[in-house]
Amino acid sequence: MKISFAKIGKTPIEFEETLRGCRLKGSLLKISRHEVELDSTLEGEVEMICDRCAEEYLQRVESPLKLTLSEVAVEGRNDLDIMEFPDGMIDIASIIESEINAMTAEYHYCPVCSERDEAQELEF
Ligand SMILES: [Zn+2]
């Protein structure tokens, strides 16, 4: 789903899109000349691969996601919560994609390995 910056005004626009097992649902609101605020919730199950045993598993996700979307380059502003869409089109799928990529890039253990870890910590 792509939404043009030009279509977003002071009245929130609702959106919903599902990608790779995750649903992003929320609203878009214009906050300044070139910026839109995205207020949403990411919910679903992400396929992850355990960093210890290499088993695939599903990670349940349910988290609020608030971002500022800009239609102009925001160089110089070192803010991770800003996403740029220089072509003037907000691509909801690419937002979900980057959230999932951020999750899978982090170090993560499957439930079996994290349980084993906790058990070991208790022994010491
Ligand atoms: Zn594991």
Side-chain angles (χ1 to χ4, degrees):
M1 183 195 287
K2 287 193 176 184
I3 304 162
S4 164
F5 270 89
K7 282 195 178 156
I8 300 160
K10 299 281 181 195
T11 309
I13 292 179
E14 308 275 316
F15 69 86
E16 185 177 334
E17 181 153 344
T18 304
L19 184 84
R20 286 169 67 184
C22 281
R23 186 184 62 166
L24 188 68
K25 190 176 184 232
S27 61
L28 296 162
L29 181 70
K30 191 162 190 173
I31 49 169
S32 71
R33 201 170 154 211
H34 295 296
E35 285 177 351
V36 162
E37 185 187 76
L38 174 139
D39 193 354
S40 64
T41 310
L42 187 66
E43 210 184 329
E45 280 178 331
V46 180
E47 219 172 80
M48 306 269 264
I49 293 170
C50 178
D51 279 322
R52 178 175 281 177
C53 68
E55 266 321 308
E56 270 184 32
Y57 68 101
L58 287 173
Q59 174 73 51
R60 174 107 196 108
V61 181
E62 194 178 348
S63 62
L65 180 66
K66 222 172 181 175
L67 293 171
T68 300
L69 313 178
S70 176
E71 62 174 332
V72 290
V74 282
E75 273 170 60
R77 275 170 79 180
N78 198 10
D79 193 336
L80 289 172
D81 293 330
I82 293 185
M83 262 182 102
E84 294 172 23
F85 296 92
D87 64 352
M89 298 295 285
I90 296 165
D91 186 356
I92 301 295
S94 80
I95 297 174
I96 305 174
E97 187 87 48
S98 78
E99 283 304 305
I100 293 174
N101 288 344
M103 264 184 272
T104 52
E106 272 174 27
Y107 209 68
H108 49 268
Y109 286 172
C110 71
V112 177
C113 289
S114 24
E115 224 171 79
R116 198 175 294 154
D117 246 27
E118 275 168 34
Q120 271 175 0
E121 273 167 31
L122 287 176
E123 280 170 29
F124 290 115

